[in-house]
Amino acid sequence: MDHTLPTEQELEAMRTVDVHKVDPETLRDIRDVQIKTELPKHERMLDFLRQIGNPYCYRHGKYVVKVSFAETDVTLEDRLLSYIRSKC
């Protein structure tokens, strides 16, 4: 297994992929990714990156998915709890 992380330049190139111009056939389908839960956290992360290729832009079936993150200290869990509380 490859134990290296992508460089900052490689990650930036992945992050800036234009979802409207990318060829969907070049993207991996996230449904094909198998998370090996028995691996330590760092090894799971490396294995996920190896399998998905670009963690910022991938396919789910015929749909192209683009992931981005806000520059904030608020976690996804915090956001979900806030959303759920606003609906109750």
Side-chain angles (χ1 to χ4, degrees):
M1 180 186 305
D2 183 8
H3 293 282
T4 60
L5 290 171
T7 66
E8 287 185 41
Q9 292 82 10
E10 291 169 330
L11 284 172
E12 181 63 16
M14 291 179 199
R15 188 184 68 75
T16 58
V17 165
D18 185 339
V19 71
H20 301 291
K21 295 181 180 175
V22 69
D23 177 1
E25 294 301 315
T26 66
L27 302 174
R28 306 243 175 86
D29 192 319
I30 197 157
R31 297 173 302 170
D32 296 331
V33 172
Q34 300 293 316
I35 303 299
K36 298 175 181 129
T37 57
E38 71 279 3
L39 293 175
K41 182 178 179 179
H42 182 74
E43 293 297 318
R44 280 194 314 264
M45 179 181 68
L46 292 174
D47 188 53
F48 173 80
L49 286 172
R50 182 187 59 76
Q51 290 183 65
I52 198 67
N54 183 345
Y56 296 101
C57 191
Y58 52 85
R59 281 186 305 115
H60 184 277
K62 65 180 182 175
Y63 300 102
V64 173
V65 177
K66 175 76 179 202
V67 177
S68 62
F69 301 93
E71 293 292 329
T72 179
D73 291 332
V74 180
T75 67
L76 177 59
E77 184 177 359
D78 293 337
R79 294 279 189 214
L80 290 171
L81 285 171
S82 176
Y83 175 76
I84 291 167
R85 287 182 180 133
S86 76
K87 298 299 177 185
C88 293

